[in-house]
Amino acid sequence: MLKINNLSVFYGGIHALKGVSLNVEQGQIVSIIGSNGAGKSTLINSISGIVKYKEGEIFYKGEKLSKQAHKIVKSGICQVPEGRIIFANLTVMENLRMGSFLRSDTNGIDKDLNRIFDLFPILKEREKQVAGTLSGGEQQMLAMGRGLMSNPDLILLDEPSLGLAPLLINTIFDIIIEINNMGKTILLVEQNAFKALSIADYAYVLEQGIITMEGNANELIKNEKIKEAYLGKKNVDFISV
């Protein structure tokens, strides 16, 4: 579904991505793990048209992907950004409606809205509430729901667990699996490597702008280097049992 060839991104003199190549197959959850500053968000932002890349190519469904953000959304790709970035002064319902701004299929929009309320019941309860007054977890659910309102085939999730309590993190990842089961393909950027690998089909390790490792997520989660660098002692002990 998504193919990236030799992508390079510069911020002035800083070489943020250095010839990154990866593939995302239809129906998969593909995770990208790495430490802060590795280039994970830059990669996601390059796909969605927010960051302009200097070198390389991105193909979506076999065709070269536009570099214009609105055309990328219209092609069937949405991004749920790091930090949620909801419209704080609008209501929950208004935020969700904003997600469908490129659509004209009224019946389809209403159907997707009902599906999102089934997926996130708390949003239905708070549909008239100003979004900025929601909790962090509720805002993350709203950001995900807003993305789904564009009716995407591919969802780019950027750090969905950021700033959330452990119990809420588990809830968010359960919902990501549900969304994948709805037929959506997911490219997940996540600093919580254990959770990201636990739900993924395939994964890449990004370090200082370079893909240093890739493979089946079940294999990577057992890799000693991955355990030492990203999973922490508690999770290493759990995996080793």
Side-chain angles (χ1 to χ4, degrees):
M1 178 173 275
L2 183 74
K3 184 177 182 64
I4 298 176
N5 292 329
N6 299 314
L7 200 69
S8 289
V9 175
F10 294 82
Y11 295 121
I14 300 173
H15 199 172
L17 293 181
K18 306 168 185 175
V20 169
S21 297
L22 60 83
N23 296 313
V24 179
E25 301 294 339
Q26 184 170 351
Q28 284 187 329
I29 298 176
V30 174
S31 291
I32 301 171
I33 63 172
S35 59
N36 281 335
K40 303 188 304 297
S41 291
T42 296
L43 177 58
I44 290 285
N45 289 335
S46 298
I47 298 168
S48 63
I50 297 171
V51 168
K52 304 303 180 186
Y53 50 92
K54 186 172 183 179
E55 300 171 357
E57 295 177 310
I58 302 177
F59 294 91
Y60 176 62
K61 295 183 178 180
E63 297 185 1
K64 196 166 184 179
L65 186 66
S66 171
K67 292 186 178 182
Q68 295 180 280
H70 68 284
K71 291 183 178 179
I72 293 169
V73 174
K74 199 164 188 177
S75 73
I77 299 175
C78 84
Q79 178 178 349
V80 179
E82 178 183 353
R84 300 176 279 276
I85 314 181
I86 58 166
F87 300 105
N89 294 327
L90 300 182
T91 67
V92 167
M93 178 62 81
E94 289 168 338
N95 268 268
L96 293 173
R97 292 285 184 184
M98 285 293 289
S100 63
F101 76 100
L102 287 178
R103 298 175 63 182
S104 57
D105 56 325
T106 304
N107 290 337
I109 291 171
D110 290 341
K111 182 179 178 180
D112 285 344
L113 191 59
N114 289 330
R115 184 181 300 176
I116 286 164
F117 285 148
D118 287 340
L119 194 61
F120 305 104
I122 192 66
L123 298 183
K124 176 63 176 175
E125 293 177 21
R126 306 198 189 289
E127 62 177 291
K128 296 180 181 179
Q129 186 170 328
V130 175
T133 64
L134 298 176
S135 69
E138 291 164 352
Q139 289 185 16
Q140 183 61 51
M141 293 176 192
L142 178 57
M144 293 168 71
R146 181 183 60 187
L148 286 169
M149 284 300 294
S150 69
N151 193 28
D153 294 321
L154 173 63
I155 302 173
L156 313 175
L157 287 175
D158 193 356
E159 301 285 6
S161 75
L162 186 69
L164 301 184
L167 186 60
L168 281 173
I169 291 173
N170 290 335
T171 299
I172 291 297
F173 274 84
D174 287 343
I175 292 170
I176 292 171
I177 293 171
E178 284 190 57
I179 292 171
N180 179 241
N181 289 337
M182 290 164 50
K184 307 296 185 183
T185 303
I186 295 172
L187 180 59
L188 170 66
V189 159
E190 178 57 56
Q191 193 172 353
N192 187 329
F194 180 70
K195 295 297 292 185
L197 293 175
S198 294
I199 69 168
D201 300 292
Y202 201 84
Y204 295 85
V205 180
L206 188 62
E207 297 180 343
Q208 297 182 333
I210 300 170
I211 298 289
T212 58
M213 196 178 301
E214 65 176 275
N216 183 285
N218 289 330
E219 295 173 359
L220 288 184
I221 206 169
K222 299 172 186 175
N223 183 282
E224 293 301 325
K225 290 183 179 179
I226 299 295
K227 288 181 184 181
E228 183 179 351
Y230 298 107
L231 300 183
K233 186 178 186 306
K234 181 178 179 181
N235 286 326
V236 168
D237 291 342
F238 171 76
I239 295 166
S240 300
V241 172

